[in-house]
Amino acid sequence: MAADQNRILIIEDEGNIARVLQLELEHEGYAAEIAGDGIDGLARATDEEWDLILLDIMLPGLNGIEVLRRIRRQDEEIPVLLLTARDSIPDKVAGLDQGANDYITKPFEMEEVLARIRANLRYRNASREKNTSRPLRVGDLYLDPKTRQVRRGERKIRLTPREFDLLTYLMRHAGQVLEREQIIQDVWGFDYAGDTNVVDVYIRYLRQKIDKGAPAPLIHTVRGVGYTLREHDG
Ligand code: CA
């Protein structure tokens, strides 16, 4: 699977419709998978990483509106396109209230489905881009992902690319306790089978540059777990 391939989850109990959607989406270069009822659909929607969800409203197990409501409790960003057999105003209103991004009324033209998927993915990618390029601040620590400038107070800090990536990650998750394995996966970008000492090594480098000589440290060790970056310890 290509790394930049968009993943789409189809939650639809009508097998032939789900299958047609899957084939057409795969033909367009998406990775598409099917969940056949509301319960399985909700579990897969929240347990796995998706770029977009096609969600039927009339589903056995748990109806689409309820599935959507529960997805939105966990993820406000993911585009969800509702499929509805009826051109039903109450369904549309309920769907919008629960944070649906778009509607497709059955029977649909595949070209229209594909166009709406493209539009919603474009919008999502644009807003992701905006979020990832915004400057980060924790206490007097400042990091600008665009210019790659880092400052602690007035002091400019020079980081290697890996140190920069690690600090960006810690700042994006400020206040959270991050396990070494998780840091390895997200910063080094692979499932690291070996030991995770490399994280400790890079944390030491960062402490030298960020915290040394500062009135209060920002990087904290959480014994037996990992690390956290926050303004006040405890
Ligand atoms: Ca259905």
Side-chain angles (χ1 to χ4, degrees):
M1 194 176 90
D4 58 350
Q5 193 177 28
N6 282 307
R7 300 190 73 227
I8 298 178
L9 177 64
I10 303 160
I11 308 177
E12 165 66 270
D13 60 309
E14 285 157 89
N16 52 345
I17 293 179
R19 188 75 194 133
V20 166
L21 282 168
Q22 185 182 37
L23 287 173
E24 293 282 349
L25 292 175
E26 286 176 351
H27 183 71
E28 293 296 311
Y30 300 110
E33 294 186 31
I34 298 169
D37 64 60
I39 292 167
D40 183 39
L42 176 64
R44 299 202 58 192
T46 51
D47 290 351
E48 299 174 37
E49 287 279 326
W50 305 98
D51 295 294
L52 184 141
I53 296 173
L54 287 176
L55 174 60
D56 188 32
I57 288 187
M58 301 287 283
L59 287 170
L62 205 58
N63 76 58
I65 299 294
E66 186 58 23
V67 173
L68 174 61
R69 197 174 70 80
R70 297 192 196 185
I71 289 172
R72 281 286 176 258
R73 270 198 240 155
Q74 285 200 21
D75 188 339
E76 293 179 356
E77 305 285 320
I78 184 151
V80 178
L81 277 56
L82 290 181
L83 301 171
T84 171
R86 300 163 301 168
D87 195 10
S88 158
I89 301 295
D91 276 354
K92 291 189 174 183
V93 171
L96 281 179
D97 283 347
Q98 297 301 335
N101 297 74
D102 213 339
Y103 280 94
I104 297 161
T105 305
K106 296 183 199 169
F108 47 74
E109 293 294 327
M110 194 48 72
E111 283 312 312
E112 189 196 351
V113 176
L114 294 173
R116 294 206 189 181
I117 288 174
R118 280 195 298 271
N120 278 279
L121 286 174
R122 244 193 332 267
Y123 178 74
R124 173 176 173 79
N125 291 337
S127 64
R128 266 184 182 168
E129 178 77 14
K130 217 187 308 166
N131 282 334
T132 54
S133 61
R134 195 177 295 155
L136 301 167
R137 277 189 188 80
V138 178
D140 60 353
L141 181 62
Y142 169 91
L143 179 149
D144 185 342
K146 270 194 200 149
T147 62
R148 298 183 80 84
Q149 272 191 31
V150 179
R151 291 196 310 267
R152 178 93 202 249
E154 295 300 308
R155 182 168 59 93
K156 278 191 183 164
I157 297 168
R158 294 175 65 89
L159 299 177
T160 65
R162 183 70 77 193
E163 291 165 355
F164 182 86
D165 290 346
L166 177 58
L167 184 62
T168 304
Y169 181 75
L170 293 173
M171 290 180 77
R172 280 198 204 292
H173 297 89
Q176 297 176 24
V177 176
L178 302 162
E179 295 179 19
R180 289 177 180 77
E181 290 77 12
Q182 190 185 345
I183 296 173
I184 284 275
Q185 273 183 35
D186 293 347
V187 177
W188 274 258
F190 52 87
D191 291 321
Y192 194 72
D195 67 65
T196 51
N197 285 347
V198 64
V199 173
D200 303 319
V201 171
Y202 273 86
I203 289 285
R204 201 156 61 235
Y205 295 158
L206 275 185
R207 281 182 157 148
Q208 286 286 327
K209 295 183 177 182
I210 302 297
D211 282 343
K212 201 179 172 190
L218 292 171
I219 300 170
H220 306 278
T221 303
V222 182
R223 209 164 291 280
V225 185
Y227 297 98
T228 182
L229 186 144
R230 63 174 167 241
E231 207 173 342
H232 305 288
D233 197 9

